[in-house]
Amino acid sequence: MDSRTVITIGREFGSGGHEVGTKLAEKLGIKCYDKELLEEAAKASGMAQELFQAHDEKPTNSFLYSLVMDTYSLGYTNTYNEMPINHKIFLAQFDAIKKLAEKESCVIVGRCADYALEDDPFAVSVWIGASLDKRVARIRRLYDLSEEKAADLIQKTDRKRSNYYNYYSSKKWGEAKSYDLCIDSGEIGIDGSVELILKFIELKEKLLASGGAAI
């Protein structure tokens, strides 16, 4: 692995994305940030961690968002002070992700991390998905739910994540071109997904070391 490698993982609910991230981090000897990112953002921003938990990966319908983001990027702090709390929380997470990536190798699950780090040459963005039937089976096993309730939970969670990602980023959640690597964990399993990501990182670093460029 390079001196600094950051892997971001987008995931469908029930695809095992969190487990892939955890096992990948263990293999690489680095940290995996999922809910832990909320704690990091809360510490850095001075806001209560409970606020981050309440707004975690939840979109907003505020039509003022684009205007607020434009003025914030130009440094108008009064505008920041007037932002809705969910915008402040998103920006705090955005900053926390970038600072983590600058200081250490790590795995970051969800929360538009791939979008925050899209210009970072050391970042690898991964999408983990699986067929609905396999995701339903996994959620039924993990949460002891009926097939109907598991499918409903998957649909609601995916909708929330999709709306959040599509709202805050300039990309589309789950679309292949939004990521460096897309994996069907239902076909190759959790361990297979980890090994595939490791191989991808190895090949990418060899290419960069040789001065080559992907076609």
Side-chain angles (χ1 to χ4, degrees):
M1 187 177 73
D2 195 279
S3 57
R4 182 169 68 88
T5 296
V6 179
I7 302 98
T8 66
I9 296 180
R11 73 287 188 224
E12 288 183 308
F13 188 60
S15 66
H18 174 81
E19 187 176 354
V20 170
T22 300
K23 289 193 172 186
L24 180 64
E26 290 175 355
K27 286 266 189 180
L28 294 172
I30 59 180
K31 291 182 180 179
C32 177
Y33 293 93
D34 191 336
K35 295 292 185 183
E36 297 83 359
L37 182 64
L38 306 182
E39 182 180 352
E40 293 290 323
K43 287 179 181 177
S45 67
M47 290 188 281
Q49 187 173 341
E50 290 77 12
L51 288 174
F52 287 85
Q53 294 170 342
H55 291 272
D56 188 27
E57 291 192 298
K58 292 179 181 177
T60 175
N61 294 321
S62 172
F63 70 94
L64 293 174
Y65 176 71
S66 295
L67 175 61
V68 167
M69 286 298 286
D70 287 343
T71 50
Y72 172 74
S73 67
L74 293 174
Y76 297 121
T77 55
N78 286 340
T79 302
Y80 176 79
N81 292 334
E82 295 168 1
M83 275 186 186
I85 188 64
N86 49 347
H87 293 329
K88 291 181 180 179
I89 287 171
F90 172 77
L91 289 173
Q93 288 187 170
F94 194 88
D95 289 341
I97 289 167
K98 294 180 79 68
K99 287 175 181 176
L100 277 173
E102 287 172 359
K103 74 176 184 178
E104 65 181 78
S105 294
C106 57
V107 177
I108 304 176
V109 180
R111 297 165 188 85
C112 296
D114 61 291
Y115 175 61
L117 303 177
E118 64 178 347
D119 295 323
D120 189 328
F122 297 100
V124 173
S125 60
V126 179
W127 169 259
I128 307 291
S131 63
L132 180 59
D133 61 325
K134 290 182 179 178
R135 290 190 290 135
V136 166
R138 178 180 174 87
I139 294 303
R140 289 188 67 185
R141 184 177 73 253
L142 291 176
Y143 297 99
D144 192 25
L145 297 175
S146 67
E147 182 173 343
E148 182 180 356
K149 288 185 177 181
D152 184 59
L153 180 59
I154 287 171
Q155 182 182 40
K156 288 179 179 178
T157 305
D158 280 353
R159 185 187 303 118
K160 182 186 75 169
R161 290 176 178 175
S162 174
N163 289 343
Y164 178 85
Y165 184 93
N166 295 342
Y167 185 83
Y168 283 113
S169 83
S170 60
K171 302 188 291 183
K172 186 173 181 181
W173 188 77
E175 191 171 68
K177 65 181 181 180
S178 296
Y179 308 90
D180 297 321
L181 176 65
C182 296
I183 299 174
D184 186 334
S185 61
E187 292 297 319
I188 62 174
I190 300 299
D191 291 336
S193 298
V194 171
E195 293 304 317
L196 185 55
I197 296 169
L198 290 172
K199 187 63 177 179
F200 182 89
I201 294 170
E202 178 188 342
L203 291 172
K204 180 181 177 181
E205 291 180 352
K206 282 182 179 179
L207 186 65
L208 291 174
S210 67
I215 297 174

